[in-house]
Amino acid sequence: MAVELVGGALLSAFLQVTFEKLASAGIVDYFRGRKLNEMLLKKLNITLLTINAVVDDAELMQIKNQPVKVWLDAVKDAVLEAEDLMDEIDIEVTRCKLEAESQTRSTTSKVWNFFSPSSSSFDKEIELKMQEVLDNLEYLASKKDILDLKKSSGFGVGSSSHVSKILPSTSLPVDSIIYGRDIEKEVIFNWMTSDTNIHNNQLSIVSIVGMGGMGKTTLAKHLYNDPKIEVIFDVKAWISVSQEFNVFKLTRSILEGIIGSTDDSRDLNMVQERLKEKLSGKRFLLVLDDIWNENHMQWEALQTPFNYGAQGSKILVTTRSLKVVSIIQTNKEIRLKQLENEHCWQLFSKHAFQDENPQIDPDSKKIAKMIMEKCQGLPLALKTIGSLLYTKSSFVEWESILASEIWELSEDECNIIPALMLSYHHLPSPLKRCFAYCALFPKNYVFEKDIFNSIVVG
Ligand SMILES: Nc1ncnc2c1ncn2[C@@H]1O[C@H](COP(=O)(O)OP(=O)(O)O)[C@@H](O)[C@H]1O
Ligand SMILES: [Mg+2]
């Protein structure tokens, strides 16, 4: 989902990088030192500012308006060219500095001036290319009125003062409170604790089904971590399956989850034997979260070792697909529905006001409820939009969110649930950039801390 969205919406993130580079000491000193036309830098900055003022609107309009999309793509290319050019200058400056350093080391008497006019052909070329990029961007900027692009309302892009507020309210690994799933929880809990057998070689499987963001993983986690469950099972393991369904890797992950350390099996047979040994005669609980695989043979291959467990062993599966449910032949199917109004309000308020029963004035409550209703009972949307509102303190900003055209988009048009697209649209540029980079990795990709840090810092 995200890659298409990000592909189109990345410009505001790129622009920030370009502004920073343009203002960097290296670029300015290079132009000054080589006596190039500094006006080019100033004009480029102003042209980029002009584009930046309407980019928010353009990112929104592009979904429905093809000419705006074409314009946005052209601007993106031009901005990338400008960035490339500045990288070239950076490389040249570094090269000169290194040369200067080695010179001063070998001849202490001679002081090397790295801005000496030694590479005039390079400089001329840079100046020429810069002029071309500028002409191109000025041309594109001049078309903003014809395309009817409006200036941004001043929040969303660039409102980085809100960054620190956004993060804490959305980064809880497991929400301690789960709203409105009492019945489902009880049904699954009873099934988990029942002594039903693996009769006729039939595994005891329950599936939680529902669209993305409906709370399948959350419900499964609450059950899995329930202390009452702990005493019932001899072993338990949680596997995050996601799109890739590799029987060998999954079997090894299950085994590793059970033994609590890494396993060095080289092939499927070896790992299945080991898992069979660990499960034999044990009452186990296995959670396979987010299965997408619709291939029956692969599922059969995965489940062979499960048949060796003791009576009362259970497998809990979560999936978005009813086809998956039919393929794995579950004994029980729990379809997660949208949350009821009362629970929507609690979840929404918890994130929007940090209080599930907020004491707010009637006008604010009315508009908050209208925004809440747009989330259509989807927990992920309620949480995300609630967190977005928490960062917007003025009534005008709330009204502007309510009035956003994004709500009206169908999923086909924006490739993502409108509520989530809206929250992306309102992210400050640095976070948009992080999100954009992260979207390039496969779903459920586990980041090394250092890699993630370098994405965030970069
Ligand atoms: N019933 C609920 N009460 C509170 N928060 C919920 C509830 N269901 C889901 N959430 C929150 O919504 C987000 C999405 O839920 P998740 O379980 O990941 O959805 P799914 O697995 O169906 O895609 C999570 O951040 C979770 O904390
Ligand atoms: Mg999930």
Side-chain angles (χ1 to χ4, degrees), residues 57-72 146-149 405 409 413:
D57 193 38
E59 284 184 346
L60 187 58
M61 296 235 317
Q62 60 158 338
I63 305 157
K64 285 188 161 173
N65 186 326
Q66 184 63 13
V68 173
K69 183 166 185 350
V70 173
W71 179 85
L72 208 51
I146 298 171
L147 292 168
D148 203 22
L149 296 173
E405 283 182 16
L409 297 172
E413 280 170 316

Side-chain angles (χ1 to χ4, degrees), residues 216-217 289-290 318:
K216 304 178 293 295
T217 304
D289 185 39
D290 206 17
T318 82

Side-chain angles (χ1 to χ4, degrees), residues 95-108 110 112:
R95 188 187 64 76
C96 290
K97 270 189 185 154
L98 289 174
E99 242 175 47
E101 273 168 24
S102 70
Q103 286 283 341
T104 29
R105 265 199 301 276
S106 57
T107 50
T108 42
K110 188 179 169 196
W112 181 264

Side-chain angles (χ1 to χ4, degrees), residues 18-19 21-23 27-28 30-32 34-49 82 85-86 89 122-138:
T18 317
F19 282 128
K21 283 192 181 164
L22 204 54
I27 304 289
V28 178
Y30 166 81
F31 264 71
R32 208 161 282 165
R34 301 273 173 103
K35 302 208 171 8
L36 301 184
N37 184 3
E38 275 184 70
M39 273 312 280
L40 283 176
L41 293 184
K42 289 191 181 127
K43 282 186 180 172
L44 188 60
N45 195 34
I46 289 169
T47 312
L48 287 173
L49 282 170
L85 215 53
M86 284 181 268
I89 298 173
F122 174 85
D123 298 345
K124 281 279 153 270
E125 205 177 315
I126 288 284
E127 215 173 31
L128 211 69
K129 281 192 197 164
M130 196 65 109
Q131 183 67 57
E132 275 172 21
V133 168
L134 178 62
D135 289 347
N136 195 7
L137 280 167
E138 274 179 342

Side-chain angles (χ1 to χ4, degrees), residues 215-272:
K216 304 178 293 295
T217 304
T218 307
L219 178 59
K221 268 190 187 161
H222 271 257
L223 286 156
Y224 185 80
N225 292 312
D226 191 322
K228 294 194 275 307
I229 291 290
E230 203 75 38
V231 290
I232 291 171
F233 295 98
D234 302 318
V235 283
K236 59 176 196 168
W238 174 286
I239 313 301
S240 192
V241 182
S242 203
Q243 269 121 324
E244 194 200 14
F245 197 92
N246 178 316
V247 178
F248 170 60
K249 281 194 201 162
L250 282 174
T251 313
R252 198 169 58 185
S253 298
I254 296 168
L255 177 63
E256 289 177 342
I258 289 171
I259 60 177
S261 60
T262 50
D263 172 72
D264 61 359
S265 302
R266 285 182 303 279
D267 56 43
L268 183 60
N269 190 49
M270 187 185 262
V271 76
Q272 281 193 333

Side-chain angles (χ1 to χ4, degrees), residues 124-313:
K124 281 279 153 270
E125 205 177 315
I126 288 284
E127 215 173 31
L128 211 69
K129 281 192 197 164
M130 196 65 109
Q131 183 67 57
E132 275 172 21
V133 168
L134 178 62
D135 289 347
N136 195 7
L137 280 167
E138 274 179 342
Y139 168 78
L140 290 165
S142 73
K143 299 293 168 211
K144 71 178 174 40
D145 296 332
I146 298 171
L147 292 168
D148 203 22
L149 296 173
K150 307 271 182 317
K151 264 179 73 180
S152 105
S153 55
F155 59 92
V157 174
S159 52
S160 51
S161 59
H162 294 309
V163 175
S164 58
K165 275 172 112 190
I166 288 176
L167 287 176
S169 58
T170 55
S171 62
L172 292 169
V174 184
D175 280 322
S176 47
I177 304 171
I178 176 166
Y179 298 102
R181 298 296 189 209
D182 292 350
I183 295 173
E184 291 88 346
K185 205 175 163 186
E186 195 183 328
V187 170
I188 303 175
F189 185 83
N190 289 340
W191 163 81
M192 274 179 159
T193 49
S194 70
D195 220 11
T196 48
N197 194 10
I198 303 181
H199 41 93
N200 310 332
N201 245 358
Q202 276 262 290
L203 290 165
S204 191
I205 308 174
V206 74
S207 299
I208 304 176
V209 204
M211 70 181 283
M214 197 55 90
K216 304 178 293 295
T217 304
T218 307
L219 178 59
K221 268 190 187 161
H222 271 257
L223 286 156
Y224 185 80
N225 292 312
D226 191 322
K228 294 194 275 307
I229 291 290
E230 203 75 38
V231 290
I232 291 171
F233 295 98
D234 302 318
V235 283
K236 59 176 196 168
W238 174 286
I239 313 301
S240 192
V241 182
S242 203
Q243 269 121 324
E244 194 200 14
F245 197 92
N246 178 316
V247 178
F248 170 60
K249 281 194 201 162
L250 282 174
T251 313
R252 198 169 58 185
S253 298
I254 296 168
L255 177 63
E256 289 177 342
I258 289 171
I259 60 177
S261 60
T262 50
D263 172 72
D264 61 359
S265 302
R266 285 182 303 279
D267 56 43
L268 183 60
N269 190 49
M270 187 185 262
V271 76
Q272 281 193 333
E273 281 296 330
R274 286 181 183 177
L275 182 59
K276 177 183 139 190
E277 200 182 296
K278 290 289 165 202
L279 294 181
S280 285
K282 301 262 173 58
R283 183 168 177 169
F284 70 82
L285 169 66
L286 196 60
V287 178
L288 299 170
D289 185 39
D290 206 17
I291 295 193
W292 291 64
N293 168 55
E294 294 182 346
N295 181 318
H296 184 67
M297 305 279 279
Q298 284 182 328
W299 171 250
E300 280 209 327
L302 181 76
Q303 67 170 330
T304 23
F306 304 161
N307 294 309
Y308 294 88
Q311 185 165 339
S313 294

